[in-house]
Amino acid sequence: MNIFDELKARGLVFQTTDEDALKKALAEGTVAYYSGYDPTADSLHLGHLVPILVCRHLQLAGHKPYPLVGGATGLIGDPSFKDAERSLQTKETVDGWVQKIQGQLSRFLDFENGANKAVMTNNYDWFGSISFIDFLRDVGKYFTVNYMMGKESVKKRIETGISYTEFAYQIMQGYDFYELNRLYDVTLQIGGSDQWGNMTAGTELLRRKGDKTGHVITVPLITDSTGKKFGKSEGNAIWLDADKTSPYEMYQFWLNVMDADAIRFLKIFTFLSLEEIAELESQFLAAPHERLAQKVLAKEVVTLVHGEEAYQQALKITEQLFAGNIKELSAKELKQGLSNVPNYTVKTDDSHNIVELLVTSGIVNSKRQAREDVQNGAISLNGDRIQDLDYQLTDTDKIDGELTVIRRGKKKYFVLTY
């Protein structure tokens, strides 16, 4: 199967500039391509993963990637479908974010092996030395204001106001394509569907200034079966940085996708073959309650993003918490697994009596309720049921000397830290 046809079969293609010409180019030889990522935070998130995976598919098919981190465009801010202008960051902040994002991209693409090994690029390398006058004369003259205002990403902001800084962003992104073509013969750009206007600004500049043809692939905005934008959990982005979204949290996110989405997401977010996914689908449909598709999806994505060891740890935390085997987990593992539960830091003058501590920590509202819960067997300490009203917590109740886990009832967890 042609790599373009496989990308389409996986649901990874939303728009292209000239599908037949692009398929022909991909079939006939090595295509140099790029996808750009602006450092608007210190980490990429799940929304960035889809174009990254397209880049990886293309590299595995023999094509050569030139991932770009926008050290220059990150200083400006992309207005595409944003309700308001971004806050501008300092050069030092953006430079630090560039390095972190470059490190993340290096986990998905091969920068070391083969003739098609990836080459990292940064658009500050060409924008940092070009003068404003030269840019207006050599680039700006190829864009009419009418053309720029016709972009959907700009139209939305015209009514509320858009600064010249953000208005000019599409020219900067267009110039990226031109420079990468000049330096490395890059002829294909990959990005999100919201980037269509900026990306076609690049093909227009290539045509008018360089008399060359460039191609564009946009990936779809991923939504779940209810139409909700995918990649958010409890209102927060799912980050690719383990310190911002732990491997356990990411594992749980994928484990909990709806049945109606699981097979589609296996095609989009994993490198299992379409034949393997078809086999998984038949097993999944025969016994959906076993959630095989979600388990495989969670395993594949967490392993891809964080590695096999992180996946095994996430699986261990999941299984031991489900079984209530708190003592089988380290403090580090429990901090991952219970990061979203209520937390109370025990003070030096707090009573360590179980009844008193239940009230002080806010786990229950009154001593009467605390005594009832303890006597009824509703309180567990690190997985062990406590029914003694006079029980005193000691250092032996601290896991790795750092925390104690209290469970009230079957599912309500609380963490005491010291």
Side-chain angles (χ1 to χ4, degrees):
M1 182 186 293
N2 180 287
I3 182 58
F4 186 83
D5 290 333
E6 177 168 349
L7 292 174
K8 285 189 72 174
R10 287 179 174 274
L12 288 168
V13 177
F14 182 71
Q15 283 174 297
T16 58
T17 41
D18 186 335
E19 182 171 324
D20 291 338
L22 178 55
K23 279 182 67 172
K24 186 171 184 289
L26 290 169
E28 290 181 347
T30 300
V31 171
Y33 61 97
Y34 92 101
S35 185
Y37 307 90
D38 275 350
T40 55
D42 59 357
S43 173
L44 298 173
H45 54 70
L46 205 57
H48 297 111
L49 190 56
V50 183
I52 293 172
L53 297 180
V54 171
C55 289
R56 183 177 169 106
H57 277 291
L58 286 168
Q59 186 179 31
L60 291 172
H63 303 288
K64 189 171 178 70
Y66 289 84
L68 181 147
V69 181
T73 42
L75 291 167
I76 301 301
D78 181 5
S80 297
F81 304 100
K82 301 291 187 297
D83 292 329
E85 191 161 351
R86 291 182 185 274
S87 299
L88 298 181
Q89 303 295 330
T90 65
K91 176 74 165 53
E92 292 72 25
T93 296
V94 171
D95 284 347
W97 291 353
V98 165
Q99 292 179 24
K100 288 191 174 184
I101 290 171
Q102 286 177 335
Q104 289 180 339
L105 290 171
S106 68
R107 300 206 299 263
F108 300 98
L109 299 170
D110 187 347
F111 286 82
E112 298 179 358
N113 303 298
N116 71 326
K117 63 184 179 182
V119 176
M120 191 72 74
T121 63
N122 181 341
N123 59 17
Y124 195 82
D125 292 344
W126 47 85
F127 280 115
S129 58
I130 192 170
S131 74
F132 183 65
I133 291 175
D134 288 341
F135 188 70
L136 289 179
R137 284 175 57 88
D138 297 340
V139 182
K141 67 179 182 180
Y142 291 103
F143 293 88
T144 68
V145 172
N146 290 351
Y147 173 82
M148 295 173 69
M149 290 182 66
K151 301 292 186 182
E152 289 298 324
S153 56
V154 172
K155 282 181 182 178
K156 188 175 180 181
R157 285 281 298 281
I158 290 294
E159 294 180 7
T160 58
I162 183 172
S163 70
Y164 177 76
T165 300
E166 286 196 336
F167 184 60
Y169 183 94
Q170 62 179 282
I171 303 181
M172 295 183 71
Q173 187 167 331
Y175 190 61
D176 286 343
F177 202 168
Y178 176 84
E179 277 294 297
L180 288 170
N181 177 268
R182 183 182 68 82
L183 293 168
Y184 306 112
D185 198 28
V186 169
T187 57
L188 169 62
Q189 182 181 178
I190 296 152
S193 57
D194 62 340
Q195 291 294 302
W196 178 258
N198 294 337
M199 294 164 74
T200 52
T203 58
E204 183 71 7
L205 184 61
L206 268 181
R207 182 184 67 80
R208 299 193 65 190
K209 183 173 171 63
D211 195 26
K212 295 182 179 179
T213 299
H215 300 287
V216 163
I217 293 177
T218 65
V219 302
L221 173 68
I222 306 300
T223 59
D224 64 23
S225 54
T226 69
K228 179 183 174 184
K229 186 176 179 180
F230 189 68
K232 303 285 184 180
S233 176
E234 304 299 326
N236 299 313
I238 302 297
W239 300 96
L240 304 188
D241 185 328
D243 291 331
K244 294 171 79 73
T245 299
S246 72
Y248 169 79
E249 290 174 306
M250 180 175 280
Y251 181 81
Q252 290 299 313
F253 176 83
W254 292 107
L255 199 61
N256 288 296
V257 302
M258 291 181 284
D259 288 353
D261 296 318
I263 298 301
R264 179 166 62 96
F265 289 164
L266 279 169
K267 294 177 183 177
I268 292 172
F269 290 102
T270 81
F271 288 84
L272 297 174
S273 70
L274 293 172
E275 292 75 19
E276 288 174 307
I277 294 171
E279 175 60 28
L280 273 170
E281 182 175 16
S282 64
Q283 296 177 47
F284 173 61
L285 292 176
H289 62 282
E290 294 182 1
R291 302 184 70 77
L292 175 63
Q294 286 93 336
K295 290 175 181 177
V296 173
L297 178 63
K299 174 185 177 181
E300 292 294 321
V301 181
V302 172
T303 302
L304 176 68
V305 175
H306 295 298
E308 173 69 21
E309 184 177 344
Y311 159 70
Q312 291 294 343
Q313 186 180 58
L315 181 62
K316 175 186 174 184
I317 295 170
T318 300
E319 291 176 344
Q320 298 302 338
L321 281 180
F322 182 79
N325 297 331
I326 302 299
K327 292 179 180 178
E328 296 298 316
L329 299 170
S330 67
K332 182 179 178 181
E333 291 168 335
L334 286 166
K335 286 175 183 177
Q336 274 199 60
L338 300 175
S339 62
N340 294 319
V341 308
N343 186 296
Y344 176 77
T345 301
V346 179
K347 301 176 181 61
T348 53
D349 58 348
D350 283 341
S351 169
H352 284 201
N353 170 264
I354 186 64
V355 172
E356 298 277 356
L357 201 49
L358 286 172
V359 177
T360 305
S361 61
I363 296 174
V364 299
N365 296 323
S366 67
K367 287 185 181 180
R368 181 187 62 78
Q369 185 64 60
R371 284 192 290 268
E372 283 186 14
D373 284 352
V374 171
Q375 290 175 321
N376 292 336
I379 300 299
S380 293
L381 204 69
N382 296 333
D384 297 330
R385 184 173 295 170
I386 301 296
Q387 292 183 278
D388 179 2
L389 295 174
D390 296 322
Y391 189 88
Q392 298 286 324
L393 276 73
T394 66
D395 286 346
T396 60
D397 295 311
K398 301 176 183 178
I399 295 176
D400 297 340
E402 295 182 39
L403 55 83
T404 301
V405 178
I406 293 179
R407 190 181 74 204
R408 184 185 182 207
K410 292 184 177 181
K411 294 183 178 180
K412 292 182 180 179
Y413 280 99
F414 304 84
V415 174
L416 305 180
T417 55
Y418 302 92

